[in-house]
Amino acid sequence: MHNLYQKKLKSGVHVVYERISYASMVSIHYIFNRGHFTEKFSQKGMTTLLSSLMDRGCKGYTENQMQRFLHRNQIDVEPIMGNHFFGLEAFTPLTNYQKAFTLMTAMLQTPTLDSDHIEEEKKAMIEDIVKLQDDPEEILVQYFFDAFFSDHPYAKHAWGSVETIQNITKQDLQAHLQYLLEGKAMIHVVGNIDPDELFDFLNANIQDLFSIAPEIQQNISFKVEAANLKIASKFTKLYGIMGFPICTAQHQDRFALDWIRTYFINGQGGKLFEKIREEHGLVYSIDCTNSMLRYGGCMLISYSAETQAEESIDQLLEYEIAMIQKEKISSKDFEKCMNYIEGSSIIEWDPPSNHASFYDQAMLYGTSIDYQSELTQILSLTPDDILRVARTYFSGPRVNVKMIPKL
């Protein structure tokens, strides 16, 4: 049995609580609606660096004491962050959820931010950033986002660069943390807790952390310009991404676009997978991803292959993209995709730990927190809907980026 509760605490924190009678653990997401997007280009990576320091000690706990406390109470705490959010998630037995909340609040409010720890984490981040230069898919994605989003904050990698990480100071981190914690605060809880007990505890204990400032609207617009880039690389394979601008997360067309993503690539299947990989054997891997961000988004079709397959891949991609704009999906293919969507959605929703993540997205992006309603809307689509949306979003500018081995 599932019961959903929403409440705004005296402190101004928005709480979504789902009570699941069979849940043996409690999932807690404690987030603020500010993240990578709020960083200056010259300080990219601050949110990631700050997150890596959250478990290095706080008021009342040295790093070792914190780790012993977490182990003793079977609490698993991890940082969570994205373009538009920052915070912590925890998984804990029911008996210890109040201890988890108390510690999470201290971790956010009074992290140690020791200078030696900061330098250690900066060194580790820089090493990871350098390693990315040996990952062709990471490099390709960065080329693509640079071309697609241009001077918009989405264009820059969340980890920043070697230079930006080196320049971050302790004072920068302290100021950035304060700024993050002035954003809209949200708590999402999933478990089998008496709701009155939960809200009484939160009202009594979750308040000192917050001094919520007026929300800053950072609606930086951008316009996607068509681009066709070929970049010489040190790698021996062809890597490519083709991307289209799509709608924001709140837009009704998101359902049809997610249907199309699934139709193109659904696990070990989908039209592009079957046609380009299985039937013609042209690619090692092929994927399709939707990224529906607050101020815009994109659909990406990515692949890796031998260089000599480039022209054939281009032709097949162009053909399938043209066909989905030209005529309705066959009834057989439409039903097959719908069955996959319904089945995979049930499987994805089954673990209670996934529910809190869903509420994060719903509250951040202004979509429905009713998962069944979201699923019902995608299952109510028709072939006419798919045709209209494909024509709307695939007929405009696209960004096509390839990394080609140097001769």
Side-chain angles (χ1 to χ4, degrees):
M1 182 178 179
H2 297 232
N3 292 289
L4 199 59
Y5 304 84
Q6 291 190 72
K7 193 164 187 175
K8 189 172 183 178
L9 303 180
K10 297 172 185 176
S11 58
V13 179
H14 294 250
V15 181
V16 175
Y17 168 49
E18 183 183 4
R19 187 174 193 180
I20 302 180
S21 59
Y22 61 80
S24 59
M25 299 285 285
V26 178
S27 298
I28 302 168
H29 282 202
Y30 199 155
I31 65 174
F32 301 81
N33 70 338
R34 294 179 177 178
H36 303 307
F37 181 79
T38 64
E39 298 170 344
K40 297 177 182 178
F41 280 2
S42 62
Q43 294 181 316
K44 275 291 178 182
M46 277 205 301
T47 305
T48 303
L49 177 57
L50 197 53
S51 296
S52 69
L53 293 160
M54 289 291 100
D55 63 351
R56 302 297 297 268
C58 62
K59 184 176 181 180
Y61 296 89
T62 65
E63 182 179 6
N64 288 337
Q65 288 172 336
M66 180 185 291
Q67 295 307 319
R68 287 198 295 271
F69 177 87
L70 293 171
H71 179 75
R72 183 170 63 250
N73 291 286
Q74 299 176 282
I75 300 171
D76 182 14
V77 177
E78 297 287 345
I80 51 177
M81 64 200 136
N83 273 312
H84 302 292
F85 67 98
F86 163 83
L88 297 170
E89 67 176 356
F91 304 98
T92 177
L94 172 62
T95 52
N96 294 332
Y97 84 88
Q98 295 184 359
K99 293 180 180 178
F101 264 118
T102 302
L103 179 62
M104 292 167 78
T105 302
M107 291 169 71
L108 290 165
Q109 186 176 27
T110 57
T112 302
L113 297 184
D114 176 80
S115 296
D116 289 339
H117 290 165
I118 292 172
E119 292 307 312
E120 289 173 14
E121 294 296 340
K122 285 169 66 172
K123 181 180 178 182
M125 278 189 67
I126 288 170
E127 289 174 354
D128 286 339
I129 290 169
V130 171
K131 287 178 183 177
L132 291 182
Q133 301 310 306
D134 290 321
D135 187 330
E137 294 180 355
E138 285 283 351
I139 296 172
L140 177 67
V141 167
Q142 193 54 58
Y143 277 130
F144 174 82
F145 277 92
D146 282 344
F148 195 95
F149 290 110
S150 186
D151 58 354
H152 189 278
Y154 294 154
K156 302 303 179 185
H157 198 289
W159 291 3
S161 66
V162 172
E163 182 181 9
T164 62
I165 296 301
Q166 286 175 334
N167 290 336
I168 295 172
T169 67
K170 179 175 180 177
Q171 290 71 30
D172 292 332
L173 289 174
Q174 290 170 328
H176 187 57
L177 175 61
Q178 182 60 39
Y179 176 78
L180 293 172
L181 299 187
E182 289 174 352
K184 178 181 177 182
M186 292 166 277
I187 292 174
H188 304 133
V189 184
V190 178
N192 188 20
I193 308 169
D194 177 82
D196 290 334
E197 175 192 314
L198 173 65
F199 289 119
D200 286 347
F201 170 78
L202 293 177
N203 266 319
N205 294 277
I206 309 300
Q207 52 189 351
D208 293 340
L209 178 62
F210 308 102
S211 56
I212 300 174
E215 187 54 33
I216 298 173
Q217 297 299 321
Q218 300 193 57
N219 194 353
I220 303 173
S221 62
F222 61 93
K223 181 180 179 181
V224 177
E225 301 287 348
N228 193 9
L229 308 177
K230 285 190 179 183
I231 298 153
S233 79
K234 64 182 179 181
F235 305 105
T236 60
K237 300 290 187 292
L238 162 69
Y239 295 89
I241 289 182
M242 180 184 292
F244 306 86
I246 57 175
C247 60
T248 62
Q250 300 96 331
H251 199 287
Q252 193 70 11
D253 285 348
R254 74 184 188 275
F255 298 109
L257 285 162
D258 203 47
W259 192 98
I260 292 170
R261 177 195 61 81
T262 306
Y263 173 73
F264 279 158
I265 300 289
N266 55 42
Q268 293 300 305
K271 193 69 171 179
L272 299 182
F273 184 93
E274 292 173 355
K275 189 93 171 184
I276 299 177
R277 186 179 188 274
E278 298 298 284
E279 184 178 331
H280 292 275
L282 291 172
V283 298
Y284 295 110
S285 63
I286 187 164
D287 199 5
C288 183
T289 306
N290 285 352
S291 179
M292 294 175 183
L293 306 170
R294 182 175 295 176
Y295 304 121
C298 53
M299 176 181 284
L300 301 82
I301 299 171
S302 58
Y303 58 87
S304 63
E306 295 292 343
T307 309
Q308 60 267 28
E310 178 188 358
E311 185 176 348
S312 298
I313 294 168
D314 285 345
Q315 290 173 353
L316 285 168
L317 284 175
E318 293 292 348
Y319 176 79
E320 294 301 335
I321 291 165
M323 286 302 294
I324 202 171
Q325 299 175 73
K326 185 177 179 180
E327 57 186 45
K328 293 181 187 178
I329 306 292
S330 71
S331 57
K332 180 181 177 181
D333 285 346
F334 190 79
E335 183 179 2
K336 177 183 175 182
C337 189
M338 278 298 190
N339 288 338
Y340 180 87
I341 288 171
E342 184 171 19
S344 60
S345 296
I346 292 169
I347 292 170
E348 183 179 344
W349 188 243
D350 189 53
S353 58
N354 286 358
H355 295 206
S357 296
F358 173 79
Y359 298 131
D360 288 352
Q361 179 175 305
M363 295 297 287
L364 285 164
Y365 297 138
T367 57
S368 171
I369 64 170
D370 183 346
Y371 184 81
Q372 190 58 50
S373 170
E374 296 277 301
L375 179 57
T376 298
Q377 291 186 74
I378 196 169
L379 294 178
S380 67
L381 292 167
T382 68
D384 285 326
D385 295 325
I386 304 305
L387 186 62
R388 174 188 61 80
V389 168
R391 288 174 174 173
T392 299
Y393 294 93
F394 297 160
S395 59
R398 68 178 66 174
V399 174
N400 197 354
V401 180
K402 296 173 188 170
M403 293 198 313
I404 310 288
K406 292 178 182 177
L407 296 177

